[in-house]
Amino acid sequence: MLRIGLTGGMGAGKSTVARILAERGAVLIDSDVIAREVVAPGTEGLAALVAAFGDDILAEDGSLDRPALAARAFADDESRATLNSITHPLVGKRTGELISAAAPDAILVQDIPLLVENGLAPLMNLVLVVDVEAETRIRRLVEFRGVSEIDARARISAQATDEQRRAVADVLLDNNGAPGAIDAVVHRLWDERLVPFEQNKRTGSPAKGELRLVPADPDWAAQAQRIIARLWVACGAAAQRIDHIGSTAVPGLDAKDVIDIQITVADMAAADGLLTALAEAGFPRKDDVTDDNPKPTEGDPAGADHALWTKRLHGSADPGRPANVHIRAEGTPGQRFALEFRDWLRSDAAARAEYLEVKREAEAKAAGLSGAAAADAYYGVKEPWFDAAYERLR
């Protein structure tokens, strides 16, 4: 299934986005609903809260008086930590049960207010953040939910900052506009990204990037870090290091809008052992690529030994963020070259300019072609230059 994390500050409008996605066919798991369920009358959760905060948090009918609990739980860090230690394990257990019950082809949307605070973003295939300025959210809480301004500010200050949420956002949904303005954006997201992403992930089909240069994007580095965080979760101890490589790792360099990541492992057996975990994380293998273009190396001047340049290549199934994930063994020529080449371009302006001209020539050669013909034309220009660059770096 495709796991989508949905979050945003209080009053941002997550419920509107969640409703639209559910109407389009998503399986919605609402953490707030679960949080209420696990502290309903007669539950172990409610008993634990009463033991921690006293009978004053109960209403006359024995149910939880949420404003009374909030007044105590949000008063200081220690009280909030106590609340979280009681409710989070219960919410997590129930969430796991609901995820297990979802269909294999589901687009599963988890509405999690504290997604950032609890470090859950890397567990998701994609994170949607509903973004609204804090003062607007405070006004909405006061006007539409009857929350006092003091309480609204206290709750918002206890949550992640807008900057922290934006840092984990694969998709930032601006909901500062008029009511209903966000609806069309969510429908388009469903049709153009979420549905194709789920299909690609289920069928093991990496999304295709275009052989077209675009201006350097300052956000590429942050996008790469979000991918790397997911890859660490998928790889665990099998990865020795994970690095952002390639042109998008070089600030200011125009490039194809495809993020390149290198996972360094002990050997190819370890690389093959990651096949299932990476596919589940949304990075299926490209089976037609098993090595880099060999270059003359010490002990093999002709570069005929492909074993020295063996790798595994995976691609992102997300059509909204194409990425290549190269898996190479520690200390192999290809693994070292990927890092050294990146660092050379970062430090040498003349090399960057020279490489950019080569890429523009390759783009021109591939123009008007498609599929394998376009790729052959594009890399037919670049690979000879890479061979020469390898010698220069040596």
Side-chain angles (χ1 to χ4, degrees):
M1 67 188 69
L2 187 70
R3 290 184 66 181
I4 308 296
L6 173 64
T7 194
M10 292 184 64
K14 294 188 307 300
S15 59
T16 297
V17 174
R19 173 183 55 78
I20 295 172
L21 293 174
E23 289 172 353
R24 293 304 306 271
V27 175
L28 179 63
I29 297 180
D30 189 327
S31 291
D32 278 344
V33 171
I34 296 174
R36 292 176 184 276
E37 177 185 317
V38 299
V39 294
T43 62
E44 61 174 304
L46 183 59
L49 289 177
V50 170
F53 295 102
D55 292 337
D56 291 345
I57 64 169
L58 293 177
E60 292 184 2
D61 63 358
S63 64
L64 180 64
D65 183 339
R66 290 188 169 274
L69 174 63
R72 295 200 175 192
F74 289 96
D76 54 67
D77 291 343
E78 183 178 354
S79 297
R80 186 167 60 255
T82 299
L83 171 66
N84 291 341
S85 70
I86 294 170
T87 59
H88 287 183
L90 298 172
V91 170
K93 178 182 177 182
R94 180 58 180 154
T95 299
E97 294 170 351
L98 293 173
I99 291 173
S100 297
D105 62 348
I107 297 178
L108 187 75
V109 176
Q110 294 180 242
D111 183 342
I112 309 175
L114 300 181
L115 180 145
V116 176
E117 293 85 341
N118 293 330
L120 300 177
L123 302 179
M124 306 295 161
N125 297 126
L126 202 71
V127 172
L128 316 180
V129 173
V130 185
D131 189 51
V132 177
E133 295 296 331
E135 290 302 318
T136 301
R137 289 189 279 121
I138 290 170
R139 176 178 56 77
R140 290 177 181 176
L141 290 171
V142 172
E143 292 183 5
F144 303 119
R145 296 195 194 177
V147 179
S148 72
E149 181 175 342
I150 293 176
D151 192 15
R153 291 187 181 278
R155 296 191 193 188
I156 286 176
S157 66
Q159 293 185 336
T161 65
D162 291 342
E163 290 73 21
Q164 288 171 325
R165 289 193 192 90
R166 290 166 187 160
V168 305
D170 299 294
V171 179
L172 196 64
L173 297 168
D174 185 347
N175 197 26
N176 286 287
I182 199 174
D183 295 17
V185 176
V186 179
H187 283 291
R188 189 162 56 251
L189 173 68
W190 176 267
D191 291 328
E192 298 178 3
R193 189 165 185 178
L194 302 189
V195 170
F197 193 173
E198 187 282 322
Q199 293 173 341
N200 288 344
K201 181 174 181 286
R202 176 164 38 88
T203 60
S205 305
K208 293 179 172 59
E210 296 184 27
L211 294 174
R212 180 175 62 86
L213 301 184
V214 300
D217 185 347
D219 195 43
W220 277 334
Q223 293 171 15
Q225 290 308 309
R226 289 194 286 272
I227 293 172
I228 288 171
R230 292 186 174 105
L231 293 174
W232 273 117
V233 171
C235 295
Q240 296 185 359
R241 60 184 292 174
I242 305 179
D243 297 277
H244 184 195
I245 60 170
S247 295
T248 60
V250 181
L253 180 61
D254 295 353
K256 301 190 307 296
D257 190 17
V258 179
I259 303 291
D260 282 282
I261 304 293
Q262 177 170 268
I263 301 175
T264 298
V265 294
D267 49 40
M268 285 299 100
D272 290 333
L274 294 172
L275 176 64
T276 299
L278 289 177
E280 290 178 352
F283 301 92
R285 178 176 291 179
K286 296 184 178 182
D287 291 324
D288 57 334
V289 179
T290 57
D291 54 60
D292 293 302
N293 181 44
K295 298 168 178 58
T297 53
E298 185 176 353
D300 178 32
D305 187 356
H306 282 250
L308 291 173
W309 294 86
T310 299
K311 74 172 181 180
R312 299 292 181 264
L313 182 64
H314 293 244
S316 172
D318 178 8
R321 178 61 279 158
N324 290 321
V325 179
H326 311 257
I327 312 179
R328 300 182 175 101
E330 170 67 32
T332 58
Q335 186 263 350
R336 296 196 306 268
F337 182 50
L339 299 173
E340 292 166 358
F341 180 72
R342 176 202 63 189
D343 295 344
W344 177 45
L345 293 181
R346 284 176 173 177
S347 63
D348 190 326
R352 287 197 301 274
E354 180 182 342
Y355 183 42
L356 180 58
E357 287 304 312
V358 171
K359 293 200 294 180
R360 286 174 175 159
E361 180 185 350
E363 179 185 38
K365 291 285 187 181
L369 302 176
S370 61
D376 288 345
Y378 187 84
Y379 291 106
V381 173
K382 290 181 64 175
E383 286 299 340
W385 189 85
F386 278 137
D387 290 346
Y390 182 76
E391 290 296 322
R392 289 159 67 181
L393 279 174
R394 290 181 67 193

